[in-house]
Amino acid sequence: MDMNAWVVARPGTLEFTRLPVPEAGPGEVLVRVEVCGVCRTDLHLLEGELPPHRPRTVPGHQAVGRIVGTGERVGVAWLRSTDGTCQYCRRGNENLCPNSTYTGWDADGGYAEYLVASSDYVYPLPDDYPAEKLAPLLCAGIIGYRSLLRAELPPGGRLGIYGFGASAHLTTQVAIKRGATVHVLTRSEEARKLALSLGAASASGAYEQPPEKLDAAILFAPVGDLVPTALEALDRGGTLAVAGIHLTDIPVLNYDKHLFEERDLRSVTANTREDGHAFLEFVADHPLTVETTPYPLDQADRALTDLANGRVRGAAVLRIGT
């Protein structure tokens, strides 16, 4: 039996094709995909900013679907496997495992009607929640949650959010629900309006300074030029966490202006399953407004183009099955 799917044929080319339905091996499950979120990481892979790990890979790592045979609804996210034995896994940092693999990069992902995933790495999901509202939680939400942890925002602190796409609009809500004051800085006027509607205290241009010094900041935009801008906005002892898997070059930093007074600059690398479970439990107790822009599966190329050009409100999602 065959299925509809998209593959990255070569850098810059996404191809709609027919592929055999994959077969689950030992410790794996076959998932019929309902919805798959469209992530900027998919765009980086398509454009060659992330080197492909295998030819003609099906992208997508925010898949909501049902296990064939049991009907259980699950989420398939970015982290696909780890070795479980290295020093990083043993100390609870499986996101740093050198032998980790990733959905939609090392193995076919969710821009297809079916995918195979490890049963140990899928997330149980509720049946009574719209699939297109669940999909963005599986990467945009989880990586935003880890970024918030990495930023070490103090209770009741002042948080700056740079860039306001899928992940940022969820992280903003999590931070506010945890008592933070959030200032959003982004180039998009439409995104600034969305940020204010979700409870941000202010929303201004990406390179502007916020109305008060920040205790922490998260850079979601893959723009290295914003690193010194965000560092300059930090108060003493503040932390900037860079959330993306890809970032353009960072300009030369001035030690006194950007780093002195114990300002910290941190990267964020994938996530652990513990992060994922903790975030999904938080959302169950503190529901979020998940803004989505839906596309049919056969328009995944348009969804990525719209994402690249800032035309997506909230998170783009592909409607695939029922």
Side-chain angles (χ1 to χ4, degrees):
M1 185 170 66
D2 290 345
M3 65 177 183
N4 291 319
W6 288 90
V7 298
V8 178
R10 57 187 176 277
T13 301
L14 196 66
E15 179 184 308
F16 195 47
T17 188
R18 297 282 291 176
L19 295 176
V21 172
E23 296 183 4
E28 295 181 331
V29 290
L30 177 64
V31 177
R32 181 175 178 85
V33 181
E34 299 174 69
V35 169
C36 187
V38 178
C39 181
R40 189 165 289 276
T41 299
D42 305 330
L43 188 61
H44 294 320
L45 180 64
L46 172 61
E47 294 179 344
E49 293 163 336
L50 288 183
H53 282 180
R54 58 198 291 272
R56 296 183 66 80
T57 298
V58 178
H61 54 274
Q62 299 180 95
V64 175
R66 297 189 180 273
I67 296 176
V68 174
T70 70
E72 179 188 1
R73 189 186 240 182
V74 295
V76 182
W78 176 236
L79 185 65
R80 189 178 193 273
S81 71
T82 57
D83 61 29
T85 60
C86 70
Q87 60 176 319
Y88 307 102
C89 288
R90 293 197 307 271
R91 73 187 190 199
N93 297 123
E94 66 179 3
N95 60 307
L96 302 179
C97 176
N99 298 308
S100 55
T101 64
Y102 299 95
T103 309
W105 196 14
D106 296 287
D108 286 340
Y111 286 25
E113 293 175 297
Y114 293 87
L115 63 77
V116 165
S118 168
S119 57
D120 290 337
Y121 288 79
V122 298
Y123 296 96
L125 295 176
D127 287 316
D128 58 350
Y129 205 83
E132 71 178 59
K133 303 297 184 181
L134 289 170
L137 304 180
L138 296 169
C139 180
I142 293 172
I143 202 65
Y145 182 79
R146 183 170 184 86
S147 300
L148 191 56
L149 298 180
R150 291 283 290 163
E152 292 192 341
L153 179 68
R158 302 156 296 174
L159 176 68
I161 297 283
Y162 289 80
F164 203 76
S167 193
H169 97 283
L170 298 174
T171 308
T172 292
Q173 296 176 69
V174 173
I176 291 171
K177 288 177 183 292
R178 293 175 67 174
T181 298
V182 177
H183 300 286
V184 169
L185 302 105
T186 181
R187 66 181 180 178
S188 167
E189 182 178 351
E190 184 65 26
R192 293 195 290 269
K193 292 178 182 177
L194 176 58
L196 293 173
S197 74
L198 294 174
S202 73
S204 53
Y207 291 91
E208 296 179 28
Q209 286 295 301
E212 59 182 335
K213 284 292 186 180
L214 306 172
D215 298 301
I218 303 173
L219 175 58
F220 287 105
V223 182
D225 284 349
L226 284 171
V227 169
T229 300
L231 286 170
E232 190 174 349
L234 292 177
D235 205 348
R236 299 178 182 213
T239 298
L240 170 62
V242 179
I245 192 173
H246 170 78
L247 187 71
T248 58
D249 289 345
I250 299 172
V252 174
L253 299 177
N254 178 281
Y255 180 69
D256 287 339
K257 189 176 182 180
H258 301 127
L259 295 173
F260 192 57
E261 297 174 333
E262 300 193 350
R263 298 180 183 91
D264 286 338
L265 173 60
R266 292 180 167 183
S267 66
V268 179
T269 301
N271 63 273
T272 67
R273 283 171 287 175
E274 183 180 354
D275 295 328
H277 288 296
F279 170 69
L280 292 172
E281 288 172 8
F282 180 90
V283 173
D285 293 333
H286 306 84
L288 305 181
T289 298
V290 184
E291 293 282 345
T292 58
T293 302
Y295 299 81
L297 175 61
D298 62 5
Q299 293 184 23
D301 52 349
R302 183 167 71 87
L304 284 167
T305 298
D306 287 350
L307 179 62
N309 290 283
R311 294 194 292 263
V312 172
R313 179 181 173 87
V317 296
L318 301 178
R319 291 174 172 167
I320 298 172
T322 56

